[in-house]
Amino acid sequence: MAIEDKVNEILGLEPAKTPMEMVHKEEEFKAPVVRTEEKDTDVDNDHKNSREHYYNLIEKGQEAIEGILNVAKEGQHPRAYEVALAGIKNVADTVDKLQDLNKKLKDLKELPKTANANIKNALFVGSTAELQKMLKKDDEIIESKTITPEEKDISDK
């Protein structure tokens, strides 16, 4: 153990813990706090970063197209024009991807505002007896609010 202690001292490390020191050390578990502001910031940063990369790709693609078109004009070879057209198509596809990125960001930011508030599936947590009591109370409320045809005629007069 003396060698390990010397090495730890030279490297400026804490001494190694014995197995007994490593055993239980109760720590309180805290769930990570996720803030929506940070998520929005991450989305905005990702969008900004992606936009910059797309713009960079478009600029480099345009420079490459200009060079290929110059080579095609000088050589008058059909294959050179074919390569130039493929480059033009690639740049056009990148422009479409940039537009899709902007549309996705817009949709992502509108999603919380347009979320449907209707509850489609409800879950009851409790025993069967509690559920029956709850349903019985609902039936009593419905029966007390129900107006029979005779009562309706009386209330009209």
Side-chain angles (χ1 to χ4, degrees):
M1 290 297 243
I3 295 174
E4 290 179 5
D5 292 336
K6 288 181 182 180
V7 171
N8 287 337
E9 184 180 330
I10 291 169
L11 295 176
L13 301 174
E14 293 181 17
K17 294 183 178 181
T18 64
M20 288 305 291
E21 292 175 334
M22 295 174 129
V23 181
H24 289 287
K25 189 177 189 183
E26 292 187 27
E27 296 178 11
E28 184 179 325
F29 176 75
K30 293 182 181 179
V33 177
V34 179
R35 295 189 175 105
T36 56
E37 297 165 0
E38 291 175 3
K39 286 183 180 179
D40 290 344
T41 305
D42 289 344
V43 170
D44 290 337
N45 288 339
D46 291 345
H47 178 259
K48 183 179 177 182
N49 190 20
S50 297
R51 279 187 65 187
E52 289 175 7
H53 285 296
Y54 279 133
Y55 279 122
N56 190 14
L57 288 172
I58 291 169
E59 287 176 16
K60 288 184 180 191
Q62 287 173 338
E63 291 173 9
I65 290 170
E66 289 174 9
I68 293 170
L69 285 175
N70 288 336
V71 170
K73 286 178 185 176
E74 290 175 10
Q76 295 292 322
H77 196 274
R79 176 67 184 146
Y81 283 105
E82 186 179 341
V83 170
L85 290 174
I88 291 170
K89 182 184 182 314
N90 286 337
V91 170
D93 290 344
T94 306
V95 171
D96 286 341
K97 288 180 182 179
L98 179 63
Q99 290 174 342
D100 288 342
L101 178 72
N102 290 329
K103 183 177 184 286
K104 287 178 184 176
L105 178 69
K106 181 182 174 187
D107 292 344
L108 185 64
K109 289 196 175 207
E110 288 180 0
L111 182 64
K113 297 175 187 173
T114 61
N116 191 354
N118 294 339
I119 299 173
K120 294 185 179 178
N121 296 329
L123 176 66
F124 176 77
V125 178
S127 68
T128 308
E130 291 172 342
L131 179 61
Q132 288 175 339
K133 286 179 186 177
M134 185 183 75
L135 291 174
K136 187 175 181 180
K137 287 180 185 177
D138 287 346
D139 286 342
E140 290 172 3
I141 293 171
I142 292 172
E143 287 175 9
S144 67
K145 290 183 180 179
T146 307
I147 300 175
T148 60
E150 295 94 29
E151 292 174 350
K152 185 177 180 187
D153 292 337
I154 295 170
S155 62
D156 289 340
K157 292 181 182 178

